Amino acid sequence: MKPTLFVLAAGMGSRYGGLKQLDTLGPHGETIMDYSIYDAMKAGFGKVVFVIRKDFEDDFRNIILKKYEGHIPVEVVFQSIDNLPEGYTCPADRTKPWGTNHAVLMGKDAIKEPFAVINADDFYGRNAFEVIAKELSRPRDKKGDYCMVGFRVGNTMTENGSVARGVCTAGADGNLSGIVERTAISYDKDGNITFVDENGTTQILEPNTPVSMNLWGFTPDYFDYSEREFKKFLDKDLNTPKSEFFIPLAIDNLIKNGEATVKILDTDSKWFGVTYAADRPGVVEKFAQLHAAGEYPDKLF
């Protein structure tokens, strides 16, 4: 059974301005998603499911989806702040989406096979898709047997400001033992990669430290675990206006409970993306170079 690619494309693009999922950055009008889907197809994925907001469905279908027809089966599901488990009502003043793991929950009825989760606006690189496709394609005989691609933090930086990354800790078995979201990782004046911890102390990260770029590998049993964890989250934070239910939050709980193992897969892929508007010219240049080097054909689809 081929794995499915689940693309989180409901984000607001607030820091960048506009719907960056629809921004054409490649030399022939490609979006970042186009490269991810092309690489995923090459790696052996068999279907793509997108989670989007209902209000840009028409644009999404016209600009994005029709180009994949005849190449790979696609499906669309929708994320909305009102879509909560039975017994919960969205607060009237809530405007912020419920976060990445809420978006993942929207795929429950559409996905029945092992699947990888990606962000729509991140370029992950072909090797990242190859390593996760291989891992998702092996037989499994138990629940909670998951994986993630651990990017080397030095391969995920921008020169134009700070980035947020889930900094990963691995146990002796190579599985994820903990993940801590660090919201302001940046270069210092000496070129070191640093962040400020919860005690106000500046910490240096080695360039090879694994970080999560939201490239996760799950089996469908994850949806049931997620729903349970989401209810726990809502019991605590339903009325906290900016609270979000992130994938690492759910994963951390499952690991601590002994219900899941998450294998960290190494990749030499270099991430890039448009976190800030100032990143755009560099990303356009990188895509042009990849095409010129023959990594991608003139026409992806």
Side-chain angles (χ1 to χ4, degrees):
M1 185 184 291
K2 289 185 171 184
T4 285
L5 186 67
F6 192 17
V7 183
L8 307 186
M12 298 284 192
S14 54
R15 281 179 297 183
Y16 176 49
L19 290 172
K20 57 184 172 177
Q21 293 87 349
L22 305 183
D23 197 4
T24 52
L25 299 163
H28 311 288
E30 298 89 353
T31 66
I32 288 182
M33 271 194 304
D34 291 339
Y35 292 98
S36 291
I37 289 163
Y38 181 85
D39 285 342
M41 284 169 53
K42 290 279 183 202
F45 284 80
K47 182 175 85 173
V48 184
V49 177
F50 298 92
V51 57
I52 66 170
R53 296 199 319 274
K54 190 76 179 166
D55 61 325
F56 68 91
E57 180 184 7
D58 289 346
D59 275 355
F60 195 85
R61 288 190 184 279
N62 293 333
I63 299 169
I64 301 289
L65 288 197
K66 66 180 181 188
K67 73 178 83 170
Y68 306 134
E69 283 173 11
H71 295 282
I72 191 167
V74 297
E75 206 169 320
V76 174
V77 296
F78 302 101
Q79 182 183 22
S80 78
I81 57 172
D82 299 321
N83 194 331
L84 297 180
E86 200 173 327
Y88 296 88
T89 304
C90 184
D93 58 349
R94 176 88 188 189
T95 56
K96 196 172 184 62
W98 291 105
T100 51
N101 212 57
H102 178 252
V104 169
L105 270 173
M106 301 304 102
K108 183 174 184 177
D109 294 330
I111 298 173
K112 306 298 179 193
E113 53 283 311
F115 64 100
V117 174
I118 66 167
N119 294 333
D121 45 16
D122 288 312
F123 176 83
Y124 292 98
R126 190 161 306 153
N127 180 253
F129 288 104
E130 288 168 351
V131 298
I132 200 164
K134 184 180 176 189
E135 176 64 17
L136 287 174
S137 299
R138 69 170 172 79
R140 282 167 167 71
D141 56 9
K142 65 182 196 310
K143 288 182 174 182
D145 187 353
Y146 308 141
C147 60
M148 62 161 284
V149 176
F151 281 75
R152 302 164 193 174
V153 70
N155 285 342
T156 76
M157 299 296 290
T158 172
E159 303 286 344
N160 296 310
S162 63
V163 294
R165 300 286 179 257
V167 178
C168 301
T169 310
D173 54 6
N175 291 334
L176 184 69
S177 59
I179 182 165
V180 180
E181 189 74 12
R182 299 296 182 187
T183 52
I185 300 173
S186 59
Y187 290 113
D188 68 10
K189 64 182 190 314
D190 301 316
N192 296 312
I193 299 170
T194 67
F195 69 91
V196 177
D197 68 16
E198 45 281 347
N199 302 315
T201 307
T202 298
Q203 303 282 0
I204 292 178
L205 284 174
E206 290 300 316
N208 284 338
T209 303
V211 295
S212 166
M213 298 304 301
N214 237 19
L215 179 41
W216 298 90
F218 298 122
T219 46
D221 56 83
Y222 184 66
F223 293 119
D224 292 331
Y225 284 134
S226 281
E227 200 154 18
R228 184 194 72 196
E229 293 302 316
F230 188 40
K231 288 174 183 173
K232 287 185 196 170
F233 166 85
L234 291 172
D235 289 341
K236 182 169 159 282
D237 283 318
L238 177 68
N239 293 303
T240 309
K242 295 203 168 173
S243 60
E244 290 184 75
F245 182 50
F246 293 119
I247 295 169
L249 181 68
I251 285 292
D252 222 31
N253 289 344
L254 295 179
I255 291 172
K256 287 191 172 82
N257 294 343
E259 292 176 295
T261 57
V262 180
K263 185 177 181 182
I264 301 177
L265 309 172
D266 181 44
T267 182
D268 57 10
S269 281
K270 289 183 168 58
W271 167 93
F272 55 85
V274 184
T275 306
Y276 303 96
D279 292 330
R280 192 181 189 280
V283 169
V284 169
E285 188 181 334
K286 285 186 179 110
F287 280 134
Q289 288 167 355
L290 287 168
H291 280 270
E295 288 285 320
Y296 294 101
D298 279 353
K299 193 167 168 53
L300 296 183
F301 298 100

